Amino acid sequence: MVTDTNYRNLTVTVCEVVMLRHEQVSETIAHMITSGALSPGDKVPSLRKMSQDAGVSISTVSQAYINLEHQGVLEARPQSGFYVTEHAVDTPQAPEMKTTAAEPCCIPFRDLYNTIFSLAGRSDIVPLGAAVPSTSLLPVKGLLRATRRIMTEEPERVVSYAFPPGVRELREQIALAYTRMNTKVDVDQIIITTGATEALALGLQTVTRPGDVVAVESPTYFSVLKLMQQLGLMAVEVPTDPETGMDLDALDQIMETSDVKAVITVPNFQNPLGFTMPDENKQRLVEMLTARSVPLLEDDIYGDLHFGDRRPSPCKRFDTKGIVISCGCYSKNIAPGYRVGWVVPGRYYKEVLERKQAFNSATPTLTQLAVAEFLKSGEYERSLKRLRAALKREVGWVRHMICQHFPSETKVTNPAGGFILWVELPSNVSGRDLFDEALKKNISVTPGVLFSSLRHYRNCIRINCGYDQDTVKEDTFITLGKLVKKLALGK
């Protein structure tokens, strides 16, 4: 007789065996590359041959090859098979999770924050600093066509107010996107905002008061810290793994000793670490906070930029009590300047809507209608495929450049989506010093200290990979590598 317990144990055992077989195939390919049996550009054994050689099924080999493709080791060529990529020999270590103090603290910010943004708009600066995608990678022509259609067909509506919660056609498209992620969100639960920052600000203002403690990932996006500073909030940093995200056991302990009023997470391709929180962690996080009635603010602006076959789920998918305030925008994948974002406030809908009405009575109508038209046309999904492929290529290329030109002890993340890399430099190299020296060479990077209220990560930098190779050349990384080596020697 098979009991529920036995069935679960059997399922786990079967899954473990399948994973081991995937790993067996992956390790075989990795050994062939490191031993020199396979070089960049070589074709790997066919699915059938590897299946026979490894004694596993063709589907197991296929999945292993797909996993290696996601890691940038292999690339699939139509009607030809899988080939070793030029970056396959890059094997830098990943940064390790840092233990952070669990004491809430005030958030210091100085001029460096404003400097990073001011450099993003300068044409004479190589733009590795601010996390802004190049317009050359974005669907500019398609969006302009949609904008012209709206202006021609609905001119009077375009110049009229679109009062909160916002243009219904756009909210319908956003609700449809959540449905595709197996997440139930009603069109009337969505409020359109001026970008994701306003969405996050509205949520934070609703669930906190000045002096309250908010738990954040460490490191976390510096604009989140800047927003918290402006709202008079205190941050408590939670140790965060570069591959799986926030340490939930550490968060649980922090919440036992600190009166945490809210938690902020970027669950998918986080800025700056690039991690993707596993679904089981997302579910556990939501359940943990639901039990305490603590709201979770999730910023899911990078979720559509996945390199694999499936978009990762938002935390909202696991929300049964409305405690997740889900924020998003189209700034990273359609048009930064259109400033179209949204918030799904759950149980806090009424309060968030009232704040939106009070502080920003309407979001521009034209951009809402244009983005809705672009989404309905089907061009968005087509443009996303091109964008994901370009970003995956650029992230892989920049990692390759770092491996080639930075000191060997440099560590760098390996995200499965987005366009951000987190680089841990040799321990005696200051990211701020590198920022200053690189700027003299007209190159911008972002120092790691900006991503921590405790000013941790002094030997780290964040690099934006959202540009094509026509904008950022190998010479840039040769220069950066020389600067890092010079600083490491104390010169």
Side-chain angles (χ1 to χ4, degrees), residues 44-56:
V44 301
S46 68
L47 299 181
R48 184 174 299 279
K49 186 174 190 315
M50 179 58 75
S51 169
Q52 294 171 347
D53 292 348
V56 298

Side-chain angles (χ1 to χ4, degrees), residues 119-127:
L119 293 173
R122 285 178 50 179
S123 60
D124 62 323
I125 297 293
V126 180

Side-chain angles (χ1 to χ4, degrees), residues 394-464:
E394 290 308 303
V395 168
W397 180 76
V398 174
R399 291 186 84 249
H400 178 61
M401 290 295 98
I402 292 170
C403 290
Q404 290 286 99
H405 303 298
F406 281 45
S408 59
E409 60 266 42
T410 302
K411 298 178 181 179
V412 60
T413 51
N414 188 21
F419 51 90
I420 299 298
L421 287 177
W422 181 253
V423 183
E424 185 177 316
L425 305 169
S427 59
N428 65 332
V429 175
S430 162
R432 177 58 196 265
D433 288 346
L434 178 60
F435 168 81
D436 292 334
E437 293 301 313
L439 198 53
K440 295 175 184 177
K441 307 289 186 180
N442 291 336
I443 302 169
S444 72
V445 296
T446 307
V449 292
L450 267 181
F451 298 85
S452 169
S453 60
L454 301 166
R455 314 309 272 180
H456 287 326
Y457 312 109
R458 60 166 298 280
N459 67 317
C460 296
I461 59 170
R462 186 196 68 181
I463 289 183
N464 170 30

Side-chain angles (χ1 to χ4, degrees), residues 21 34-35 39 42 52 88 107 149 179 210 240 256 287 314 322 327 348-349 372 394 404-405 418 464 491:
R21 288 174 177 169
T34 56
S35 67
S39 300
D42 287 350
Q52 294 171 347
I107 302 165
R149 283 197 299 271
T179 299
T240 302
E256 290 292 331
E287 290 173 350
C327 307
Y348 310 101
Y349 178 88
E394 290 308 303
Q404 290 286 99
H405 303 298
N464 170 30
K491 296 181 178 180

Side-chain angles (χ1 to χ4, degrees), residues 133-245:
S134 171
T135 54
S136 66
L137 302 179
L138 297 176
V140 176
K141 292 181 179 179
L143 181 61
L144 290 180
R145 284 194 296 269
T147 304
R148 284 193 291 267
R149 283 197 299 271
I150 289 298
M151 294 177 70
T152 301
E153 296 170 7
E154 301 190 66
E156 293 185 1
R157 190 179 179 194
V158 161
V159 297
S160 301
Y161 279 119
F163 292 110
V167 168
R168 186 172 185 84
E169 295 97 314
L170 178 57
R171 290 186 286 122
E172 287 174 347
Q173 291 299 312
I174 294 169
L176 181 60
Y178 275 103
T179 299
R180 295 191 185 111
M181 294 182 277
N182 297 316
T183 305
K184 186 177 180 182
V185 170
D186 188 86
V187 65
D188 293 322
Q189 296 175 311
I190 300 168
I191 300 171
I192 303 302
T193 61
T194 307
T197 300
E198 185 189 34
L200 190 61
L202 290 170
L204 270 178
Q205 288 172 317
T206 297
V207 301
T208 64
R209 297 294 178 267
D212 282 350
V213 176
V214 176
V216 298
E217 294 148 347
S218 183
T220 193
Y221 180 39
F222 52 77
S223 282
V224 170
L225 296 175
K226 181 69 171 177
L227 175 60
M228 290 172 59
Q229 180 197 42
Q230 293 297 309
L231 296 178
L233 302 173
M234 300 182 71
V236 58
E237 297 191 18
V238 183
T240 302
D241 187 273
E243 294 185 359
T244 59

